[in-house]
Amino acid sequence: MKIALHQIAYQIGIHPTEMAKLVYEGEITGEVPGNNPQAKDAWVDLHSLRNFIQWRNDQGRMEEMAYGKAIRHIDKWLSRK
C-alpha cells in the first residue's frame, strides 16, 4: 500500500530526506521524483517500510520505544485500507 512519504516519515521518527535516501538505496520500496521527498507524488510502500523497521529492530539498530511507535503508526495506516 502506497502512502505519501512526507505523510508517514515524521510520524515514525524518520526525517523525509533520510527516508528518501532509503528509497534511493533500495532499502524500502518507493519513488521520489525530482529528488524531492516533500513532493506530493513521493511515496513509500507501507509493507516494505514495516519490514525494514522490523529488520532494523532485529539488528538492534533501533530503540524499543521508537520501534513500537513506528510499528503502531504503520499498522494504523495499513488498517485504514
Side-chain angles (χ1 to χ4, degrees), residues 26-60:
E27 297 289 343
I28 57 176
T29 303
E31 187 174 335
V32 185
N35 295 328
N36 180 5
Q38 298 292 337
K40 289 181 181 181
D41 52 351
W43 61 272
V44 295
D45 176 73
L46 285 174
H47 294 288
S48 174
L49 180 58
R50 189 178 197 294
N51 290 340
F52 175 77
I53 296 294
Q54 179 68 53
W55 174 79
R56 190 177 257 188
N57 184 62
D58 292 346
Q59 297 294 312

